[in-house]
Amino acid sequence: MKNIRNFCIIAHIDHGKSTLADRLLEYTHTIEVTNGQMLDDMDLERERGITIKSHAIQMEYEYQGETYILNLIDTPGHVDFSYEVSRSIAACEGALLVVDATQGVQAQTISNLYMAIDHNLEIIPVINKCDMDNAMPDEVEDEIVELLGCDRNDIIRASGKTGMGVDLILQAVVERIPHPIGDENAPLQALIFDSVFNSFRGIIAYFKVVNGVIHKGDKVKFFNTGKEYDADEVGVLKMDMIPRKELRTGDVGYIISGIKTSTEVRVGDTITHVDRPCEEAISGFEEVKPMVFAGVYPIDPEDYENLRASLEKLQLNDASLTFQPESSVALGFGFRCGFLGLLHMEIVQERLDREFDMDVITTVPNVSYLIYDKQGNVTEVHNPGGMPDPTLIDHIEEPYIDATVITSTKFIGPIMTLCLGKRGELVKQTYVSGDRVEIRYNMPLAEIVIDFYDKLKSISKGYASFDYHPMGYRTSKLVKLDILLNGDSVDALSTLTHVDNAYEFGRRMCEKLKDLIPRQQFDIAIQAAIGAKIIARETVKQVRKDVTAKCYGGDVSRKRKLLEKQKRGKKRMKQIGNVEVPQKAFLAVLKLD
């Protein structure tokens, strides 16, 4: 056990952690790196150049005549996948903190660092991309020293591209990171930190052995669900799964036990023996709370059960996704899904399409609100359709976040204007180093859900980094904005919005829908309403045939007769005609600007 090291790599998005992981794998002769980012095995990860899943891999390293086993977990850098990072941290004793030499410390670096320090991980600071022309390693070193309070000599300068400093990183991992602590003779305790679905072998769970030993063929049970299984196969994770006879304390590996139903495996559960169970489960990582909710509906209503099965399989691989059934008048039966953020929502949609061949419609994302009625009862509402009658509501509370933006001083003005426009309150402003400033705001989560991140990036030319943490609920003056088509409310387009923004938002929504809804044989009235009060209206004009074309001259009453006949027909059509809202209209609401 003293020759095992478990560590992860944490960094902000695009700071080069997957490339650095490639160099570590090459240096230890674990694999031949063929086309870069070997641990990002999803097509989606390669196309976008981001890490979505944490990946575990085992390396063997010779140092001073001894062989060490290094278990590396590569983690995502985007704020929406911080749950993946918390799971990896729970399975490790140390972390490489990678900072880009051209960009310095960013918001996500700081939040992941605090998470690692809370779990008492040994931190090894690494400055990556030191080979680039615009690298500023000295300035970045100052920032890291200020952030960590470490010694300058502890910081390793490296480059994932050229392989500079990789040997120093591996030496530091062996020398500085403590080996796992546990008792091999104690009852088995193993923490599940991830799982995947394999259509041939069932569910494969990845775990770290904290105490005890697990052998192939053992009778095991999962602590929280209480279900019992046979360990058909256990082994370690390299690029492929390598079966082993046993896994001892401190090892990271996988177990296949022929589980077919996805609800039986919970990430964060503990595996133990049936005949000699452990006393208590391991406390791993915190339960994640979804921040953004959206309805996901199958385009073909017959695909409802397939969509449920697809979401369950996806949830195995991505435990931060939550869903429950709901129905909508416009869209039929579907699910109300909870996501960690907008990128997470986009990725889930893409994965449903690619991995499970599911075509889905997603409604406008929103957050959860607490609604207090006149009797003092509280209900949590994720969907504007679930709002009680306005006369019964005493007040509404919405979730607030503590947002941190790190940027260059020349972008302070526009960024402050953006945050104030989103109802933000400035908490404090501190200068990190030189011309970099950290601005903290308290903001309503609903305001940042749709387009805040994109706007922030374009205002700051990509130089601002953003991170946030939930900070509870606050009372707010919110109203439900309904969109009516010919007097019928379209529940998938209704939103909860702040009273100051409602008129402007309603007007823009009507204008946008006017362009997107195809013309029919009758006039379509598009209205935005708050309760019974109409605040905006647009009309999609009808398509008309020129019925008077055949009249050349003659009395005007002949023309009028034909027009009146056409008018009566249009009126009858309007009674039976219904308006189809195209999928583009649902998506357009997200991109109103």
Side-chain angles (χ1 to χ4, degrees):
M1 191 165 62
K2 68 178 197 302
N3 283 13
I4 296 177
R5 301 286 183 273
N6 298 323
F7 68 102
C8 58
I9 303 182
I10 54 176
H12 188 80
I13 189 166
D14 260 353
H15 279 203
K17 55 196 165 308
S18 298
T19 313
L20 194 62
D22 284 352
R23 296 294 84 76
L24 293 171
L25 295 176
E26 262 184 353
Y27 194 87
T28 55
H29 308 295
T30 307
I31 49 165
E32 285 290 315
V33 174
T34 47
N35 55 357
Q37 269 99 17
M38 293 299 285
L39 294 183
D40 291 351
D41 52 8
M42 234 185 276
D43 293 344
L44 214 55
E45 293 181 312
R46 297 244 163 129
E47 281 168 30
R48 293 179 175 232
I50 57 175
T51 305
I52 295 168
K53 285 288 302 164
S54 303
H55 291 278
I57 190 162
Q58 191 180 87
M59 306 181 283
E60 289 180 8
Y61 176 58
E62 291 274 337
Y63 180 62
Q64 293 182 348
E66 286 195 53
T67 303
Y68 289 87
I69 289 177
L70 313 181
N71 290 311
L72 156 70
I73 304 181
D74 179 26
T75 62
H78 197 281
V79 61
D80 281 10
F81 303 110
S82 52
Y83 177 62
E84 288 280 336
V85 182
S86 84
R87 302 190 335 200
S88 308
I89 285 173
C92 293
E93 283 82 36
L96 296 182
L97 178 76
V98 177
V99 181
D100 188 331
T102 61
Q103 295 188 8
V105 173
Q106 307 260 305
Q108 192 60 33
T109 319
I110 296 176
S111 78
N112 286 345
L113 173 69
Y114 288 155
M115 210 188 297
I117 290 173
D118 286 347
H119 279 77
N120 296 326
L121 264 61
E122 179 64 38
I123 310 289
I124 300 176
V126 176
I127 300 179
N128 195 19
K129 305 192 186 178
C130 285
D131 59 314
M132 292 183 69
D133 299 339
N134 57 344
M136 359 168 250
D138 296 336
E139 288 91 326
V140 176
E141 227 169 62
D142 294 340
E143 289 180 23
I144 293 176
V145 168
E146 199 169 309
L147 183 67
L148 274 176
C150 63
D151 198 74
R152 269 183 186 284
N153 304 330
D154 293 345
I155 302 172
I156 300 169
R157 295 190 181 187
S159 160
K161 200 170 178 184
T162 61
M164 152 192 167
V166 170
D167 50 339
L168 297 174
I169 293 175
L170 288 165
Q171 284 170 26
V173 166
V174 171
E175 286 172 1
R176 294 195 221 164
I177 293 178
H179 61 76
I181 301 164
D183 183 359
E184 287 200 351
N185 303 318
L188 173 70
Q189 268 184 316
L191 174 74
I192 299 177
F193 64 87
D194 203 357
S195 56
V196 291
F197 183 80
N198 181 312
S199 45
F200 301 106
R201 313 206 58 181
I203 289 156
I204 303 168
Y206 299 158
F207 63 88
K208 176 197 175 185
V209 184
V210 178
N211 286 313
V213 181
I214 184 169
H215 298 84
K216 183 182 173 176
D218 281 355
K219 289 275 290 177
V220 294
K221 76 168 182 181
F222 288 18
F223 204 89
N224 287 345
T225 57
K227 296 264 172 80
E228 301 183 359
Y229 307 100
D230 289 322
D232 297 338
E233 186 182 302
V234 295
V236 294
L237 298 155
K238 295 215 171 169
M239 251 353 241
D240 301 312
M241 295 186 284
I242 316 255
R244 292 280 155 92
K245 288 275 196 311
E246 62 175 23
L247 291 180
R248 311 188 76 81
T249 304
D251 281 332
V252 173
Y254 69 91
I255 179 170
I256 299 175
S257 48
I259 307 169
K260 290 282 185 281
T261 41
S262 43
T263 47
E264 291 178 24
V265 177
R266 293 277 309 280
V267 166
D269 203 347
T270 303
I271 305 174
T272 185
H273 280 131
V274 173
D275 49 4
R276 192 174 159 221
C278 57
E279 300 282 312
E280 56 181 12
I282 308 163
S283 61
F285 26 81
E286 64 278 5
E287 270 293 302
V288 62
K289 279 205 71 167
M291 307 287 272
V292 176
F293 296 87
V296 173
Y297 294 87
I299 286 178
D300 184 352
E302 290 173 2
D303 286 341
Y304 176 73
E305 281 304 324
N306 296 349
L307 179 60
R308 181 198 293 274
S310 305
L311 283 168
E312 281 178 357
K313 286 174 188 169
L314 196 55
Q315 197 178 31
L316 274 178
N317 203 276
D318 180 359
S320 51
L321 171 69
T322 60
F323 63 92
Q324 62 199 56
E326 74 163 3
S327 63
S328 141
V329 182
L331 301 168
F333 289 102
F335 296 93
R336 166 101 341 209
C337 296
F339 307 98
L340 297 184
L342 271 193
L343 178 71
H344 186 211
M345 175 175 138
E346 214 176 298
I347 296 293
V348 166
Q349 239 179 304
E350 279 273 312
R351 288 183 71 181
L352 280 173
D353 181 27
R354 291 184 184 203
E355 295 172 29
F356 304 101
D357 209 16
M358 295 297 311
D359 282 339
V360 293
I361 292 177
T362 313
T363 62
V364 184
N366 54 6
V367 298
S368 57
Y369 297 93
L370 296 180
I371 295 178
Y372 291 78
D373 60 16
K374 299 273 168 66
Q375 281 77 40
N377 302 325
V378 188
T379 43
E380 189 173 338
V381 171
H382 302 315
N383 188 349
M387 284 268 292
D389 190 82
T391 53
L392 304 173
I393 297 173
D394 181 51
H395 66 278
I396 303 177
E397 291 189 352
E398 64 174 334
Y400 263 69
I401 54 164
D402 179 5
T404 307
V405 178
I406 295 182
T407 180
S408 163
T409 44
K410 59 182 176 221
F411 302 120
I412 289 183
I415 286 175
M416 284 190 159
T417 312
L418 172 69
C419 293
L420 292 171
K422 298 282 186 187
R423 299 192 281 135
E425 299 163 13
L426 182 64
V427 179
K428 70 172 186 183
Q429 183 178 331
T430 44
Y431 285 84
V432 185
S433 69
D435 66 338
R436 292 165 56 100
V437 64
E438 179 185 329
I439 314 171
R440 280 185 56 194
Y441 270 92
N442 290 345
M443 294 170 76
L445 178 63
E447 293 284 346
I448 70 150
V449 151
I450 292 184
D451 57 0
F452 178 79
Y453 198 66
D454 299 343
K455 282 186 175 171
L456 180 71
K457 283 289 181 198
S458 57
I459 283 176
S460 64
K461 302 190 172 63
Y463 278 108
S465 60
F466 172 68
D467 187 50
Y468 63 85
H469 297 284
M471 52 171 291
Y473 286 78
R474 288 196 196 173
T475 306
S476 230
K477 285 180 73 177
L478 298 167
V479 288
K480 182 183 174 192
L481 183 72
D482 284 314
I483 298 295
L484 313 175
L485 294 182
N486 279 347
D488 295 332
S489 169
V490 182
D491 56 350
L493 288 175
S494 57
T495 49
L496 271 172
T497 179
H498 194 265
V499 83
D500 298 346
N501 303 342
Y503 288 85
E504 172 68 12
F505 188 65
R507 190 176 54 76
R508 286 188 3 233
M509 203 115 135
C510 289
E511 286 168 3
K512 192 81 179 178
L513 287 172
K514 182 186 176 186
D515 299 338
L516 290 164
I517 290 176
R519 289 170 70 183
Q520 309 280 345
Q521 297 280 340
F522 50 89
D523 277 357
I524 303 168
I526 304 168
Q527 294 165 309
I530 297 174
K533 184 180 176 188
I534 305 292
I535 58 169
R537 167 176 174 138
E538 293 287 337
T539 308
V540 178
K541 297 308 278 181
Q542 60 197 0
V543 182
R544 324 188 22 224
K545 180 181 170 189
D546 187 0
V547 285
T548 59
K550 60 188 177 189
C551 300
Y552 49 96
D555 191 32
V556 73
S557 59
R558 285 182 63 198
K559 289 186 178 180
R560 190 156 300 131
K561 186 177 119 189
L562 290 167
L563 288 168
E564 286 298 325
K565 185 179 174 191
Q566 184 188 38
K567 201 172 173 183
R568 285 198 302 277
K570 295 279 186 200
K571 195 173 179 185
R572 193 166 60 248
M573 229 177 236
K574 190 172 183 174
Q575 288 167 356
I576 56 168
N578 61 351
V579 186
E580 291 286 322
V581 183
Q583 165 71 4
K584 277 194 307 202
F586 294 115
L587 297 175
V589 179
L590 307 185
K591 304 187 172 74
L592 266 182
D593 293 340

